[in-house]
Amino acid sequence: MRPSVRRPQQQAFSRVLPDIGDAPLGASYPGPPRSRLGALWRYGLMRAKVRLAYRGDFLLNAVGDFIVAGIGLVFLWAIFSHVPDIRGWSFHEVLFIWGMGEAAAGLFFVLFQGLWALNQQYVLRGELDRVLLRPLDAYVQIMLDHLNLEDLPVALLGLGMMAWAREGLPSFSLAQWLMLPVFLACGVLVLAGVLTAFSSLGFRILHRGTAVGLVYQASAFNRYPIDIFSRPIQRLLTWVVPFAFVAFFPATWYLGRTRWLGWAAVQPVVAVAVFGLARWLWGRGLRHYRSPGS
Amino acid sequence: MIEARQLSRSFRTFARRPGVLGAVRDLFRLGGEERLAVDGVDLHVAAGEVVGFIGPNGAGKSTTIKMMTGVLRPTGGSLRVNGLEPFRDRRRHVRNIGVVYGQRTQLWWDLAVVEAFDLLAAIFQVDRDTYRRRLERFDSVLGIRPLLHQPVRELSLGQRMRCDIAAALIHGPPLLFLDEPTIGLDVAVKRRIRDFIGLVNEEEGTTVLLTTHDLSDVEAACERVVLIDHGRVLFDGPTPALKDSLGGRRRMVVDLAREEDATPALVEGLPVVWEIDGARLTLRFRRDEVTAGTLIGVLTARAEVADLSVEEPDIEDVVARFYEDADARRLAAMEAR
């Protein structure tokens, strides 16, 4: 009826979904997944497809986030072109810590951007209702709703920085290679845990999600060697909002420094504990959900 | 199927102070006051029933439904649906229920309808043959085939509602909640939806709980009605009995042979509300106070009656009057505070 208006959107969708035309109803359904994990996988896949369908947004965001992350690298490089080291930390050492932090942050944004949407979209506007009516974990659904593949390049940039830093570092042992993905994954968990804990405040104190953004700003500290900060800030980053576990503590092991080895060793335990506690708090917060409107 | 005993839910409310200064002062205030949105509701719904749930705005209908669907946690009383506690056993509970909100969609805004259906079928682990059979059935009654490839955000309200209802039933739940499903819909779509509710109830034995402001929905689809206000159940019984219990007045229109007979003296001593317009006399009376037969007897003895008709109370009128009273009660309560 209005083909000139309708067509662009339909084309965008047919790229995502093959047009089945007059095929029997339900022909596109591949049958039930074998497990709950399979259902979550399809959920995530569908969200990823939708994000990719908005190609303009996708590219702009991907390029934008990459540039923002790249500015950090330029900043680092600019500092070290004036000074040989910062409190005994060489360019390559800081680059490695920074890269690890960037990689963790990139992956964190791919998986956990839903934390930013939680208060405004789900709690205040009540979209949590829909989420709670599905037989899947509510938290996981929200994170999958906001699956954000655009930030994969940022994670890759972080890995690239780490690779570049290796030319000025001692070579890694096999154990170090094997632990690298574990530390990275646990770094993501620490970030996610801290921010999840703060986001669950939103169930009780209605607000637009600014707490998550503010606390995330503080996570920028995780990219610097911790001993360049004053004592109180070091304690804060270790005990209160443990961002030092995201990249710094594990990274020191790869730099051949032994002072923080104990902290590095417990990083996976801390990560699981922090994230577990945060999820528990989140679940408690859910009891206070008020569901707006009629 | 549904067992609610003294079910309650309170909310902590913060009265906002006006102005920027007030907002700043509100920032530093803790506490707030507890308001009971649902105040001791007892409700038992058996399998296969179609129950209409009505009440003025803010009566607590939606809050009750949200507790039954597992979205909100009750703060008092007990609630079991299909033997489960909705909030605590949420993930198992939602497999047994379908939910449709008239005000907002359960589907994903950016997906085509068929993608949303496929995804829901996957989430609820519906097998292929069952899924196809259900889609065919939904299409034959709701006519959803032409909509399948449109993104949800492009659907009209009526189209969206048809798709939402189909989506809520994709996993074949034995219990269906409809929260104002006909709000803002045209007559044709309304009828289609009512027919569908009846069909699902008849064919699958699905229990249906329906909230609405449209009483023609209730009269057309529900054999039982529950009226709620101030978070309490005020009436629970068969739909036809609602009018009597709320004191619905029957109406008698009497055309007199001579206009000069139409005087207040004609109705003296009768428990009626009367109105005279020329030779026409209109009486309102309650079934339990006086019968139509008595009235006719008295009137024909006092004057010559040319024509006469008796009308049953209209459920719309009855409930409208009840809502107005509820509003007045609420205002009075606020002033008293």
Side-chain angles (χ1 to χ4, degrees):
Chain A
M1 283 114 276
R2 291 178 303 162
S4 57
V5 182
R6 275 282 154 78
R7 198 167 291 144
Q9 271 123 350
Q10 284 195 337
Q11 272 181 351
F13 272 87
S14 63
R15 216 175 285 120
V16 176
L17 180 93
D19 188 12
I20 56 166
D22 291 328
L25 288 169
S28 57
Y29 181 55
R34 279 205 201 89
S35 64
R36 189 171 287 158
L37 218 61
L40 286 173
W41 171 252
R42 275 195 219 169
Y43 193 119
L45 214 60
M46 194 60 83
R47 299 313 298 176
K49 276 184 184 175
V50 168
R51 285 302 273 255
L52 288 168
Y54 294 100
R55 275 188 308 178
D57 280 358
F58 187 85
L59 288 174
L60 269 175
N61 283 339
V63 170
D65 288 351
F66 191 80
I67 289 174
V68 169
I71 286 171
L73 180 60
V74 174
F75 162 75
L76 210 64
W77 187 77
I79 290 180
F80 278 97
S81 66
H82 294 288
V83 293
D85 64 287
I86 300 173
R87 283 241 184 143
W89 298 88
S90 73
F91 171 66
H92 288 103
E93 286 177 318
V94 177
L95 185 66
F96 188 80
I97 299 168
W98 193 291
M100 203 160 170
E102 199 72 68
L107 288 174
F108 166 73
F109 271 110
V110 170
L111 295 171
F112 292 96
Q113 190 148 59
L115 290 173
W116 268 257
L118 179 72
N119 296 297
Q120 175 98 334
Q121 185 186 344
Y122 292 90
V123 176
L124 288 179
R125 273 204 309 222
E127 278 193 39
L128 197 56
D129 281 22
R130 158 173 65 74
V131 168
L132 291 173
L133 295 174
R134 317 263 184 252
L136 300 173
D137 186 87
Y139 181 86
V140 177
Q141 282 185 76
I142 293 175
M143 296 313 133
L144 288 179
D145 268 349
H146 292 268
L147 199 63
N148 176 38
L149 299 177
E150 290 106 297
D151 277 331
L152 268 182
V154 174
L156 290 176
L157 176 73
L159 293 177
M161 289 164 80
M162 291 164 77
W164 179 14
R166 282 195 59 224
E167 66 181 38
L169 301 178
S171 61
F172 298 171
S173 70
L174 182 66
Q176 281 175 317
W177 277 115
L178 288 177
M179 280 304 287
L180 199 56
V182 176
F183 282 136
L184 266 176
C186 289
V188 174
L189 272 191
V190 172
L191 274 175
V194 172
L195 291 163
T196 298
F198 276 94
S199 81
S200 65
L201 284 175
F203 289 115
R204 292 164 210 248
I205 308 164
L206 295 180
H207 68 110
R208 292 218 176 88
T210 35
V212 175
L214 282 175
V215 175
Y216 181 75
Q217 295 297 322
S219 79
F221 286 116
N222 70 27
R223 289 165 204 187
Y224 302 90
I226 197 174
D227 62 354
I228 68 172
F229 301 120
S230 65
R231 283 256 157 217
I233 291 186
Q234 289 186 33
R235 291 216 183 90
L236 187 79
L237 292 175
T238 309
W239 296 104
V240 185
V241 279
F243 288 136
F245 287 95
V246 175
F248 174 74
F249 287 145
T252 55
W253 185 34
Y254 295 86
L255 310 179
R257 293 181 181 248
T258 49
R259 188 178 148 196
W260 294 277
L261 218 52
W263 293 110
V266 297
Q267 188 249 19
V269 181
V270 171
V272 171
V274 166
F275 190 69
L277 182 70
R279 279 301 310 273
W280 180 79
L281 281 173
W282 203 86
R284 296 289 297 185
L286 198 57
R287 297 157 145 236
H288 295 263
Y289 175 54
R290 301 165 62 115
S291 181
S294 51
Chain B
M1 186 137 268
I2 299 177
E3 297 263 324
R5 277 199 199 89
Q6 287 300 304
L7 181 64
S8 305
R9 166 80 203 204
S10 63
F11 289 103
R12 184 159 290 172
T13 54
F14 302 89
R16 301 243 189 269
R17 278 174 267 205
V20 179
L21 225 84
V24 173
R25 280 162 64 198
D26 283 342
L27 264 182
F28 299 99
R29 193 169 45 155
L30 294 169
E33 93 188 53
E34 293 277 328
R35 189 178 61 83
L36 269 173
V38 176
D39 184 5
V41 163
D42 288 303
L43 190 65
H44 303 269
V45 178
E49 276 192 288
V50 180
V51 179
F53 207 47
I54 61 171
N57 288 321
K61 304 186 297 283
S62 287
T63 307
T64 308
I65 294 265
K66 280 170 181 171
M67 287 192 281
M68 289 175 178
T69 54
V71 168
L72 285 180
R73 183 168 155 265
T75 48
S78 77
L79 174 65
R80 295 216 152 236
V81 181
N82 298 309
L84 298 171
E85 266 182 59
F87 186 86
R88 245 195 40 205
D89 311 320
R90 183 182 69 78
R91 267 152 55 175
R92 263 194 303 156
H93 167 67
V94 295
R95 287 183 178 277
N96 300 325
I97 61 167
V99 184
V100 177
Y101 289 114
Q103 313 267 31
R104 53 172 101 113
T105 182
Q106 300 293 308
L107 301 169
W108 293 270
W109 216 234
D110 297 318
L111 297 186
V113 174
V114 66
E115 290 177 299
F117 284 1
D118 286 355
L119 187 52
L120 282 171
I123 288 174
F124 285 101
Q125 289 165 310
V126 183
D127 70 69
R128 277 187 87 155
D129 291 338
T130 314
Y131 178 59
R132 281 184 193 169
R133 212 180 51 239
R134 286 194 184 131
L135 278 191
E136 293 285 352
R137 193 77 191 98
F138 297 157
D139 179 49
S140 69
V141 191
L142 295 168
I144 52 173
R145 186 190 283 268
L147 310 174
L148 286 179
H149 287 276
Q150 290 190 34
V152 173
R153 71 180 126 79
E154 285 182 17
L155 300 177
S156 74
L157 183 61
Q159 294 171 334
R160 206 209 78 206
M161 190 48 62
R162 275 143 64 197
C163 293
D164 252 319
I165 291 180
L169 291 168
I170 250 168
H171 54 295
L175 175 58
L176 177 64
F177 292 96
L178 298 158
D179 196 0
E180 301 190 26
T182 57
I183 195 162
L185 298 180
D186 67 50
V187 184
V189 181
K190 263 186 196 177
R191 180 172 306 151
R192 212 165 186 170
I193 286 176
R194 283 176 200 156
D195 290 349
F196 188 67
I197 294 170
L199 200 77
V200 171
N201 175 254
E202 231 166 78
E203 284 185 354
E204 317 270 337
T206 307
T207 312
V208 181
L209 197 69
L210 168 88
T211 79
T212 183
H213 281 296
D214 186 342
L215 290 157
S216 52
D217 283 350
V218 174
E219 285 196 294
C222 309
E223 63 250 34
R224 178 178 160 199
V225 62
V226 174
L227 191 145
I228 179 170
D229 190 34
H230 282 83
R232 290 198 183 125
V233 173
L234 295 189
F235 174 85
D236 182 354
T239 308
L242 177 65
K243 314 178 217 194
D244 296 335
S245 109
L246 289 183
R249 286 170 198 268
R250 306 167 89 187
R251 209 163 73 114
M252 183 182 287
V253 180
V254 184
D255 286 323
L256 299 169
R258 287 182 300 274
E259 196 173 327
E260 56 266 33
D261 284 341
T263 58
L266 193 60
V267 291
E268 213 184 291
L270 295 173
V272 296
V273 180
W274 52 270
E275 204 174 289
I276 292 170
D277 179 19
R280 170 165 288 188
L281 178 69
T282 308
L283 306 174
R284 292 172 159 282
F285 61 98
R286 292 180 55 152
R287 189 197 293 269
D288 50 354
E289 286 174 356
V290 60
T291 66
T294 313
L295 284 181
I296 293 169
V298 172
L299 290 175
T300 47
R302 290 181 185 175
E304 191 177 329
V305 173
D307 195 9
L308 178 147
S309 68
V310 179
E311 289 166 20
E312 283 302 312
D314 185 355
I315 192 169
E316 296 270 354
D317 285 345
V318 170
V319 176
R321 207 170 314 127
F322 172 80
Y323 284 9
E324 278 164 25
D325 291 351
D327 262 355
R329 283 197 299 273
R330 197 163 298 155
L331 273 175
M334 275 166 75
E335 273 165 18
R337 203 180 299 160

